[in-house]
Every structure is written in C-alpha cells, then in structure tokens.
Amino acid sequence: LSDACGALAYLAKMPGIAPDNIGILGLSSGGLVALMAAQGLLAPGMIAPPNSSTPGAQFRGAFVLYPSCANVRHDPKLSWMRQANVRRSPLNPPPAVTLVVGTEDDYEINASEDCNAVMDDLASRGHPTRLTLLPGATHAFDWPHPPPPGFSRFAKAGQGSMLTMRYSKRDS
C-alpha cells in the first residue's frame, strides 16, 4: 500500500500529469492493494495520507482483477481494514472502482457473494462501482501460461486451498 501511495505522490508531481486524474490497476494481491488505495485506507504504521505532500492528488479510479474478495471480507490478518475506525485519507470524490473476477476463482470462498459485498460496501461510502463476474473463469484467467494446480495458503481468506488456473482468451 505504501508503494502505491508513493507512486501516486511521484506521478502527481510530474509535469503534464493531472494529480487528480491518476488511476490504479491491480491484479490478484495487487488488486487487493488497489482496493485499499482506492478507499484511501491508511495501513497500520502509515504516518501520513498519500496526498499529504501533493495536495489534490488521489486515485481517480481503480481497475481490479481477481483481488480475492474473500480475503477482504474474512482474513483475520486484514481485520484492520474492516474496523469502523480505520484511518482513511479524505477522498473527494470517492474513486470509481471496477472489479472483474471469475466465478470459479479458487481464491474466493464464493466469488459472487464476497465480491458483491465488497462492492456494496464501497458503494455505501459513495464510490461508483462496477462488478463483472465471468462465468467459469478462474484466478489469473488472463495468464496465457498459468502454472499447474497447486496449494496456496493465502486462498479462501487464509484457510488455504488448491488452485486451478486456466487461461481464457475470451475473458482476457
């Protein structure tokens, strides 16, 4: 998260870049970071909001692919994100968030339920949202040469699970 905020501050100071028109893209764990950054979340230990050195800089939007919504909702290590008093940077306007996930993503407990809940939470705080559920698509559906099935201890909100990844030219 601090890297994403650092990139925002860096880009906002560059000539020819509008500091209020910078987006963030994230895939998988990077998608989780993009979701956090789009919400202006300040992780434990972060001292200042990302726009403190560049007034007016904030992410305008986030495009997020398969971020593991189950982890956002249920992983105990991410419980700080779900606390009512979590520290946030002020966002005006709240960035738009587009999230794309496959219905067969093994990282998820239930992709439709978990990602709809994440997007409903964002919408309740004023974020324009769009969720696309790709029927039958797996985690990393856009990866032309995915690895063979294997176990990930990070899947299913830290419970761990076997993962199967299949490339889908249609969904990519």
Side-chain angles (χ1 to χ4, degrees), residues 57-150:
Q58 73 172 50
F59 290 112
R60 173 87 176 240
F63 188 80
V64 182
L65 290 173
Y66 42 84
S68 185
C69 297
N71 287 0
V72 174
R73 293 190 65 213
H74 307 292
D75 189 330
K77 293 184 285 304
L78 297 176
S79 64
W80 65 269
M81 287 177 56
R82 298 184 293 274
Q83 294 172 0
N85 64 345
V86 66
R87 296 182 320 134
R88 297 179 190 273
S89 295
L91 300 171
N92 188 21
V97 177
T98 298
L99 192 151
V100 180
V101 66
T103 59
E104 300 300 317
D105 187 333
D106 292 331
Y107 264 91
E108 302 295 350
I109 294 171
N110 179 314
S112 176
E113 182 181 306
D114 288 327
C115 291
N116 270 299
V118 167
M119 297 303 267
D120 288 347
D121 179 56
L122 288 168
S124 75
R125 287 186 275 108
H127 294 266
T129 61
R130 181 176 3 162
L131 172 62
T132 301
L133 294 165
L134 301 174
T138 65
H139 195 78
F141 59 82
D142 58 334
W143 194 356
H145 304 288

Side-chain angles (χ1 to χ4, degrees), residues 32-44:
L32 180 59
V33 171
L35 280 174
M36 291 180 197
Q39 296 177 69
L41 292 178
L42 298 174

